[in-house]
Amino acid sequence: MLNDLLARNQEWSKQRHAEESDYFTRLAALQAPEFFWIGCSDSRVPANVVAGLDPGEVFVHRNVANIVHSSDMNLLSALEFAVEALKVREIIVCGHYGCGGVKAATEDLPQSLADHWLEPIRRLARSYAVDLAQQPEIEARRDRLAELNVVEGVWRVCETPILQRAWRRGANLRVHGLIYGLKDGRLRDLDCSGGPGHFQKEVAE
Ligand code: CO
């Protein structure tokens, strides 16, 4: 299996070099992505592929069910680096329909570490119980919950001191919430974007 992977890599590297001879030297010299992507670890939702972007064009953080925990040092470190060092222009929180993490959060599971990780989704399910009950099918309820989890993630990113600081100094940085459909390969905008002024105004009030 591993040898297979290494052989595929050599083939890919050779092909890429043949298509564009300075491809690797160019990328090795500079990383200048416009996007920071917070997505699910699900193997079917690779950021570069579904967004049609090349290596070098998107800085990526993925975790189970694309949850934005406000104390996740891994996510916060990546976010800070993306904003402060890479100066990305757009931050995308991307969920997906048919998410196994969201499904697990709606089931009674034996105690596991994943229960702790998924707790924010359980909390969302309780907060939006009336909204979710409008969907008769369990699949539709989970998909709606996946959307709510993205919206919540966008708010949480906007509320981090990292974004507040960036907006206060005038950075033109926007945070968007998208959802990906495994069945049709489409990304949809959930219309919950935050941008400069959006959060500062709330603070001033
Ligand atoms: Co998922």
Side-chain angles (χ1 to χ4, degrees), residues 40-42 45 64-66 96 98-102:
C40 182
S41 299
D42 193 306
V45 198
V64 172
N66 48 273
H96 68 102
C99 181
V102 172

Side-chain angles (χ1 to χ4, degrees), residues 4-18:
D4 222 34
L5 183 147
L6 293 173
R8 279 167 183 243
N9 162 259
Q10 287 194 11
E11 190 50 43
W12 171 78
S13 156
K14 217 170 14 182
Q15 257 184 22
R16 207 69 197 80
H17 187 263

Side-chain angles (χ1 to χ4, degrees), residues 12 15-17 19-20 22-24 26-28 30-37 46-60 86 88:
W12 171 78
Q15 257 184 22
R16 207 69 197 80
H17 187 263
E19 285 162 16
E20 193 184 335
D22 70 339
Y23 180 74
F24 291 109
R26 179 170 58 79
L27 277 181
L30 181 68
Q31 172 177 225
E34 299 260 313
F35 300 97
F36 177 46
W37 175 283
N48 288 76
V49 177
V50 305
L53 296 168
D54 281 330
E57 291 188 306
V58 58
F59 191 62
V60 176
L86 297 174
V88 297

Side-chain angles (χ1 to χ4, degrees), residues 7 20 37 46 51 57 60-61 65 75 78 82 89 95 103 130 137 142 149 168 201:
E20 193 184 335
W37 175 283
E57 291 188 306
V60 176
H61 171 89
L75 188 152
R89 301 289 299 275
K103 181 170 180 281
V130 176
E137 304 290 333
R142 284 175 181 150
N149 180 43
R168 205 165 289 136
K201 208 171 113 206

